[in-house]
Amino acid sequence: VRYRSVGAASWTEAHPLFRIRPEYSTNPAVGSVSDDFAWTIIDLTPGTSYDVEVTVSSGSTTVTRSATFTTRALPPAAGPANKTVAAGSSANQVQSAFDGLQPGDVLQFENGTYTVNNLELTRSGTPGQPIYIRGESRNGVILSDTSGTILRILEADDVVVENLTLRGRGSDGPLSDLQPGVYGGGFGNGSSRNTIRNVTITGVDKGIVFYDEVSQAVVYDNTIVGNNQWNAQFLGDNRTWDDDGINLPGFGNVAFNNTISGFGDTFSYAQHVGSDTLTETRGVHYYRNEIQNTLDDLVEVDHAHRNISFYDNRSHNSSNCTSLDPLYGGPFLYARNVCINPARTCLLY
């Protein structure tokens, strides 16, 4: 495999394709393991067109094919706000503002602390007219919820959430009462093309977690702080095992340039209950993240499928660096990561 940006004179050699062998894989309850060649090309630039050339040889036969692909561009900056949430607005007033959103709206919160209660977003933008929900300043706008999920994204597409703070109760909840910062899905239908960027999330048990398959989710430049602490009490039992930092099951999702600490599985790719697979995961990539204090798996690849990656990340303190328990077919690319001080093992499978 080799590639180049359109118009460039020279090619860059990519990693050879990996042969997926279904007969050597556990059979997933959701999705399938296909008999294919696959691999991931990394280090590309958003919004750029590339020529990709693949050469396959079998004995004396060689076939070369090429095509042109364009990487996704990041959502542009929001325009001027056309709707405002005034400082001091109640939870009902905030929810009403969300319920009235239309494609192309830019809803801006004035600086202030807003007490919300399981705030729900059900309105969609379009690819050409996304909905923006943003704060006047990242540290000056705080959406606070001490009881439930701070923000639920339910079957809403083409939404950008940015430049504000989500604050939870600040104490670790039991397995039966885990507070997420951003929660998506739960009704069997996912969402598409949603972006969470330049957001601070603190005091939660889960960071940004989707329970249904979502597509083209982009999560970047966020600071996410969980309630788990790096000490013997939290390391001594299973209280942190369901505390995901970022979990984006589905298709074509990415999380990068985030600073994240205090979770059980800091990054996960799929939803499962024990050995039961609940979602399919293909084309999901986590890279260039700064991670501290992972009480269980730095990256839980369990129940993921194919063309997924974890690269250029740096971690201090984790129980395991990586868990593959199981991985369906693959390939999974794990490259150029730094994992300092794993308490149990580097690889669990």
Side-chain angles (χ1 to χ4, degrees), residues 17 81 172 190 223 232:
L17 296 179
D172 185 58
T223 298

Side-chain angles (χ1 to χ4, degrees), residues 55-68:
T55 301
V56 178
S57 298
S58 178
S60 60
T61 301
T62 297
V63 176
T64 298
R65 294 182 180 176
S66 61
T68 299

Side-chain angles (χ1 to χ4, degrees), residues 53-106:
E53 182 185 87
V54 177
T55 301
V56 178
S57 298
S58 178
S60 60
T61 301
T62 297
V63 176
T64 298
R65 294 182 180 176
S66 61
T68 299
F69 304 92
T70 301
T71 56
R72 270 184 294 161
L74 297 177
N82 66 324
K83 294 183 177 180
T84 301
V85 179
S89 293
S90 68
N92 288 339
Q93 289 172 318
V94 174
Q95 184 61 64
S96 178
F98 276 33
D99 293 342
L101 289 170
Q102 299 293 330
D105 280 346
V106 178

Side-chain angles (χ1 to χ4, degrees), residues 33-47:
V33 179
S34 55
D35 186 357
D36 286 325
F37 290 97
W39 198 256
T40 299
I41 298 176
I42 62 175
D43 298 329
L44 304 182
T45 302

Side-chain angles (χ1 to χ4, degrees), residues 28-244:
V30 176
S32 61
V33 179
S34 55
D35 186 357
D36 286 325
F37 290 97
W39 198 256
T40 299
I41 298 176
I42 62 175
D43 298 329
L44 304 182
T45 302
T48 304
S49 295
Y50 291 89
D51 297 322
V52 179
E53 182 185 87
V54 177
T55 301
V56 178
S57 298
S58 178
S60 60
T61 301
T62 297
V63 176
T64 298
R65 294 182 180 176
S66 61
T68 299
F69 304 92
T70 301
T71 56
R72 270 184 294 161
L74 297 177
N82 66 324
K83 294 183 177 180
T84 301
V85 179
S89 293
S90 68
N92 288 339
Q93 289 172 318
V94 174
Q95 184 61 64
S96 178
F98 276 33
D99 293 342
L101 289 170
Q102 299 293 330
D105 280 346
V106 178
L107 176 67
Q108 181 162 301
F109 286 82
E110 294 180 345
N111 283 335
T113 298
Y114 302 81
T115 300
V116 296
N117 182 21
N118 290 307
L119 186 60
E120 293 188 351
L121 176 61
T122 59
R123 306 293 293 177
S124 293
T126 67
Q129 289 188 303
I131 291 171
Y132 289 83
I133 299 173
R134 65 190 323 272
E136 182 179 354
S137 65
R138 180 168 173 173
N139 296 325
V141 172
I142 300 172
L143 306 185
S144 175
D145 190 331
T146 60
S147 58
T149 302
I150 303 173
L151 175 60
R152 298 172 183 263
I153 299 177
L154 303 177
E155 303 177 26
D157 302 327
D158 297 293
V159 175
V160 178
V161 180
E162 63 181 8
N163 205 44
L164 46 75
T165 294
L166 306 179
R167 187 174 67 192
R169 62 182 165 226
S171 60
D172 185 58
L175 294 178
S176 60
D177 183 24
L178 296 176
Q179 183 185 35
V182 178
Y183 164 105
F187 295 95
N189 295 305
S191 56
S192 298
R193 298 176 302 276
N194 290 325
T195 299
I196 302 171
R197 64 186 181 190
N198 299 313
V199 170
T200 299
I201 302 175
T202 65
V204 294
D205 298 314
K206 295 173 178 280
I208 299 171
V209 177
F210 287 85
Y211 284 88
D212 293 316
E213 296 162 350
V214 296
S215 62
Q216 301 183 54
V218 182
V219 176
Y220 69 102
D221 290 349
N222 303 292
T223 298
I224 309 173
V225 181
N227 290 324
N228 296 328
Q229 302 173 36
W230 185 259
N231 58 34
Q233 180 182 11
F234 278 82
L235 285 166
D237 55 37
N238 66 351
R239 71 177 65 191
T240 70
W241 287 6
D242 289 332
D243 294 0
D244 292 349

Side-chain angles (χ1 to χ4, degrees), residues 30 211-213 249-250 269-272 277-281 303 305:
V30 176
Y211 284 88
D212 293 316
E213 296 162 350
Y269 291 87
Q271 288 293 345
H272 63 97
T277 304
L278 303 180
T279 57
E280 186 176 1
T281 299
H303 298 268
H305 291 67

Side-chain angles (χ1 to χ4, degrees), residues 266-288:
T266 297
F267 287 94
S268 295
Y269 291 87
Q271 288 293 345
H272 63 97
V273 177
S275 61
D276 295 331
T277 304
L278 303 180
T279 57
E280 186 176 1
T281 299
R282 293 186 283 110
V284 176
H285 308 284
Y286 301 140
Y287 53 97
R288 293 201 307 263

Side-chain angles (χ1 to χ4, degrees), residues 219-222 224 246 255-260 288-290:
V219 176
Y220 69 102
D221 290 349
N222 303 292
I224 309 173
I246 293 178
F256 60 95
N257 291 5
N258 299 287
T259 300
I260 183 168
R288 293 201 307 263
N289 298 286
E290 181 76 23

